[in-house]
Amino acid sequence: MDVNNYLRTEVFPSTFCPGCGHGIILNALIRAIDDLKLDMRKMVFVSGIGCAGWITSPHIKADTMHTTHGRPLAFATGIKLANPELKVVVIAGDGDLASIGGNHLIHAARRNIDITTICANNSIYGMTGGQASPTTPEGAITLTTPEGSYYNPFDLCALVRGAGAGYVARATVYHARMLAKFIKDALSYDGFSFIDAVSTCPTQYGRRNSMSDPFEMLEWLKRNATTKEGEGKIVIKEWIASSAEK
Ligand SMILES: Cc1ncc(C[n+]2csc(CCOP(=O)(O)OP(=O)(O)O)c2C)c(N)n1
Ligand code: SF4
Ligand SMILES: [Mg+2]
């Protein structure tokens, strides 16, 4: 793969902190696009505000739209309606898609709009200093939960499946090849597709939760993810609605 076909290499090194998982999501995305031989001139990448907003803009060599916090799906819906020929991809954070933009997420799934949405889910508001997000695990220390989060986190895959999405998947940045494969499947799916890409934020999450070394966060994901449901771990797999098989 020639990265010059996909990345604006002149903007590197990126603004991500060393060891940030969001760079692995960018890597998996361009691998998936390369495998599918998609035409970047017919793709649009939409992001919101947050560190996740920088995954595609300014790094991707294609049309990108860096929109307001919580609203990338609203902008992406407009793009798709205006030109259905375009392949529209949204990448945004857990705060963006599940907090302020939560209604856009469930209604995009309900309407089955042909958009691939990737949640760069690092369980925290990374960019703004480490506040708790809707996916922060119970007990996790954050800027706003110094004694540990009291709340149940959202299972984003269950949420979006419940709202009607036909293709839903979860992988972590430790499982980078699996993530790239799921992104390929999502891009090939005709309808709303969603990937919960479990990411790492060593700066705002890891250092508060005894994992300041990025490698420790990846090790944690390795130990705590499984393909089997019901083990109380992070479930990594694809869920494809039977009525929506490719
Ligand atoms: C309307 C609005 N509300 C709040 C903010 C402040 N803000 C910017 S990014 C962000 C959260 C970022 O968290 P997430 O979406 O999970 O992305 P991450 O930085 O973790 O990748 C917030 C609250 C904003 N920019 N606009
Ligand atoms: S603050 Fe966290 S999410 Fe943002 S670039 Fe740094 S490590 Fe990545
Ligand atoms: Mg986040």
Side-chain angles (χ1 to χ4, degrees), residues 17-18 64-65 68 81 90 148 156 168 192 195 239:
C17 306
T64 56
M65 199 178 226
T68 49
L81 284 174
V90 166
L156 292 182
V168 177
F192 188 77
I195 297 178
W239 292 266

Side-chain angles (χ1 to χ4, degrees), residues 16-27:
F16 297 135
C17 306
C20 175
H22 287 355
I24 300 175
I25 298 175
L26 175 61
N27 188 318

Side-chain angles (χ1 to χ4, degrees), residues 17-140:
C17 306
C20 175
H22 287 355
I24 300 175
I25 298 175
L26 175 61
N27 188 318
L29 174 67
I30 64 169
R31 280 180 193 282
I33 294 169
D34 186 66
D35 276 1
L36 291 171
K37 299 282 170 266
L38 296 177
D39 183 352
M40 293 285 268
R41 288 168 303 182
K42 293 187 178 152
M43 298 188 79
V44 179
F45 299 84
V46 188
S47 63
I49 302 299
C51 300
W54 293 82
I55 294 174
T56 51
S57 159
H59 299 117
I60 285 263
K61 197 186 262 184
D63 285 335
T64 56
M65 199 178 226
H66 206 141
T67 73
T68 49
H69 189 49
R71 310 292 175 227
L73 272 168
F75 284 87
T77 303
I79 293 167
K80 189 70 189 176
L81 284 174
N83 187 351
E85 299 300 310
L86 293 173
K87 193 164 266 306
V88 182
V89 178
V90 166
I91 300 196
D94 43 307
D96 194 309
L97 283 170
S99 219
I100 187 170
N103 259 322
H104 293 295
L105 179 63
I106 56 175
H107 289 284
R110 180 178 65 86
R111 295 183 186 124
N112 196 27
I113 302 169
D114 186 20
I115 293 172
T116 293
T117 298
I118 301 171
C119 182
N121 179 4
N122 55 12
S123 306
I124 196 102
Y125 290 2
M127 178 170 271
T128 44
Q131 297 86 354
S133 88
T135 59
T136 299
E138 198 177 340

Side-chain angles (χ1 to χ4, degrees), residues 187-210:
L187 289 170
S188 308
Y189 180 75
D190 190 14
F192 188 77
S193 54
F194 177 83
I195 297 178
D196 183 7
V198 180
S199 190
T200 51
C201 174
T203 302
Q204 300 296 356
Y205 187 94
R207 71 190 168 94
R208 291 189 172 93
N209 291 279
S210 313

Side-chain angles (χ1 to χ4, degrees), residues 170-176 178-179 196-199 221 225 234 236:
R170 182 185 295 113
T172 84
V173 294
Y174 175 80
H175 306 84
M178 178 188 269
L179 181 59
D196 183 7
V198 180
S199 190
L221 289 176
I234 300 167
I236 46 173

